[in-house]
Amino acid sequence: MKRFFIILIIIGTALSSSNNKYLGNCLLIPRHEKVPLYNSSNQLEISDYIINDTLKDDYPLITIDFIKDSLALVHVQYPMRSRKECKGWIQMKYLGTYINQADGILKIYRMPSDDSEVSFEIMNAYWGIYYPVIDAHEGWLKVVIPDDSGRIGWLHPDDQSQNPYTPSC
């Protein structure tokens, strides 16, 4: 029941974000550690911390509003409401996504556009592999492929899953 509720919140967050200008949605790195949010991009003052709350089974949903250098201005929501919503700057190294498929071929694009060429394909791609995010544009996420190949590319919004429990397909 809890997972069904979280899926509904994720869908609602995605739909409400589609009406506003945003760059993309993602998740926090899948570790149980406090990650600082800063008041400004100069990282002088910490305004809050966010965490994957594994005890309450509540994982933050993150909307990227703006990117500057290696930082992102984000809005953070907790679907189970274990913590308050917050906004601040976070280091990009803490952001990532899962893919939205159980098993199959994942297309990675050269540019964040439906008209873009496919840069490469990942065979036998499956949900559960975390893809670090290094950029975002109108729902597309630029990801690093976590196979030590050094490959990067753009992940289509339909291929992303911000559900930490299961693929959203």
Side-chain angles (χ1 to χ4, degrees), residues 2-141:
K2 185 187 285 188
R3 289 189 176 150
F4 176 73
F5 177 70
I6 290 172
I7 290 170
L8 287 177
I9 298 257
I10 290 168
I11 292 169
T13 300
L15 291 175
S16 68
S17 294
S18 65
N19 297 330
N20 303 322
K21 183 166 175 57
Y22 77 107
L23 299 180
N25 293 311
C26 59
L27 295 169
L28 193 60
I29 189 169
R31 284 190 243 150
H32 186 82
E33 66 181 62
K34 287 172 40 174
V35 175
L37 282 181
Y38 298 95
N39 282 340
S40 66
S41 61
N42 63 17
Q43 301 181 61
L44 295 178
E45 186 177 335
I46 295 173
S47 62
D48 207 343
Y49 289 93
I50 59 175
I51 190 167
N52 287 318
D53 193 337
T54 55
L55 298 176
K56 294 182 180 173
D57 215 15
D58 201 5
Y59 300 88
L61 301 175
I62 301 170
T63 300
I64 302 171
D65 295 325
F66 184 77
I67 296 175
K68 179 180 178 186
D69 302 321
S70 62
L71 294 169
L73 178 61
V74 297
H75 178 249
V76 181
Q77 296 177 305
Y78 283 84
M80 301 302 295
R81 307 286 192 252
S82 67
R83 297 183 51 124
K84 66 181 177 17
E85 290 184 26
C86 52
K87 189 170 187 164
W89 292 87
I90 188 171
Q91 294 177 13
M92 291 290 294
K93 69 181 182 179
Y94 294 114
L95 304 178
T97 190
Y98 293 107
I99 61 169
N100 194 19
Q101 55 184 291
D103 188 18
I105 298 172
L106 179 64
K107 294 179 181 180
I108 303 295
Y109 296 83
R110 290 193 191 282
M111 302 297 294
S113 167
D114 286 323
D115 298 328
S116 174
E117 291 179 32
V118 172
S119 184
F120 55 90
E121 294 179 340
I122 299 173
M123 305 310 232
N124 302 316
Y126 59 92
W127 182 90
I129 302 295
Y130 180 81
Y131 291 80
V133 171
I134 58 172
D135 200 358
H137 179 76
E138 296 180 358
W140 291 72
L141 297 176

Side-chain angles (χ1 to χ4, degrees), residues 131-156:
Y131 291 80
V133 171
I134 58 172
D135 200 358
H137 179 76
E138 296 180 358
W140 291 72
L141 297 176
K142 191 172 191 178
V143 297
V144 177
I145 308 308
D147 63 1
D148 296 326
S149 67
R151 296 180 297 171
I152 60 173
W154 290 94
L155 186 58
H156 192 281

